Amino acid sequence: MRALLLESVHPDAAAILRSAGATVETLDRALGEQALIEALADVQLLGIRSKTEVTETVFEEAHDLLAVGAFCIGTNQVDLAAAGDRGIAVFNAPFSNTRSVVELAVAEIIAMTRRLTEKNTGMHAGLWDKSAEAAHEVRGRSLGIVGYGNIGAQLSVLAEALGMTVYFYDTADKLALGNARRCATLPELLATADVVTLHVDGRQGNLGMFGDEQFALMRQGSLFLNLSRGFVVDHRALRTHIESGHLAGAAVDVFPQEPAGRGDEFVSELRGLPNVILTPHIGGSTEEAQQDIGHYVASKLRDYAREGNTTMSVNLPHLSLPPRHGGRRIVHLHRNVPGVLAKINSLLAEHKVNIEGQLLDTRGEYGYALTDIAVDYPSALIDSLAAMPETIRVRSLG
Ligand code: NAI
């Protein structure tokens, strides 16, 4: 098995794949389409981050490719349908940086509540401004979390441990953790919370969901955070509410337009405001998160290659069977139409092959079956499974 890891993915990823017997080549940069096609000759596992585009043309040419690991959160850079249609699994790391975002939010809530940015700026300018004015504890204050998903829910737990009262609003039905209280509407949350923090996802409907109307509903002297997506918030309206003194501070990590590269100029209506913490989309950027991403995605690639397990795949049905003890596993990806499992099983019966374990799952247009059989089977079996019109890809693992 050969693996190609691009864009300086964490070294632990290469170590995990090597310990599974793969030959691993690493590169510190992304590759363009043609270079990627050439580099993928004889490669089964590809690891990328956000800058390598894996297009339909790449998948068309990469005949040996089994799986792509996106060592990041997003998978927009990968043509998922083209991958699925060729039986190539795609994995990412949706939760690896959750804790990092939560810790930054906690740090910012405390920093703003104590007005640390202003004290720090004053000290660097030589000003000894020792006063308790407008500085508060977070204990006893209320936190309103908008979007109670992975990040929102974990923040809820940490905020309660700090003594905050947590309210949340989510469009989906979510289990309230600890003593957190659900708000029926966003206005109800905005009227209640001393600190409002956004952790919604990037669906199109969230474009501009937080503007003048929502800021106006927030309590006098409250704080605002956005560590979710830049396009969710109207920054001009946020500036107005900070300048008027209605909001006491804000922390923003994500912006509608972000500079393309390190060192580029950052342009925003939010520059130069007091008690406003601006960070360059680093909510999830910690060494721990990078290491966790390396472990998580490399393990998924290994388990898919060795066992056919697709748990948490972005584009295929999710299946996992325990490791085999001596037998073989037939991995069969097919079109999700009626009768495929029956056909697989009658082919196995025709070849006098006994089934020792079997699982099937479907997702959208794909069906995926894992079948454990005894070691000995006629080679014609795999040919006849591959020849089924519904078959997308078949592998035999042993
Ligand atoms: P998630 O998908 O687990 O949770 C999002 C939650 O928001 C869901 O429960 C959903 O039902 C809810 N939601 C969506 N639209 C809503 C609305 N209009 N009102 C109320 N609830 C709404 O996502 P996760 O992992 O918690 O991430 C949250 C956000 O954080 C995402 O936008 C993600 O891109 C961003 N993020 C930012 C990072 C950074 O570096 N700043 C790093 C990682 C994630």
Side-chain angles (χ1 to χ4, degrees), residues 97 101 146-151 169-172 174 199-203 206 209 227-229 253-254 281 283-284:
N97 61 10
V101 179
V146 184
Y148 205 66
N150 296 313
I151 294 172
Y169 169 70
D170 198 298
T171 44
K174 294 282 172 166
H199 300 287
V200 297
D201 55 49
R203 70 184 70 175
N206 285 340
M209 69 164 272
L227 292 91
S228 62
R229 297 292 180 102
D253 186 46
V254 286
H281 204 148

Side-chain angles (χ1 to χ4, degrees), residues 111 114-135 275:
R114 295 295 290 269
R115 303 191 77 87
L116 291 187
T117 53
E118 290 162 320
K119 298 290 178 198
N120 179 56
T121 307
M123 290 291 279
H124 283 285
L127 177 67
W128 184 262
D129 176 22
K130 180 171 163 57
S131 123
E133 194 188 334
N275 208 27

Side-chain angles (χ1 to χ4, degrees), residues 144 167-170 181-190 192:
Y167 296 85
F168 71 91
Y169 169 70
D170 198 298
R181 295 162 216 190
R182 164 185 273 278
C183 293
T185 64
L186 181 58
E188 181 190 333
L189 177 138
L190 300 178
T192 310

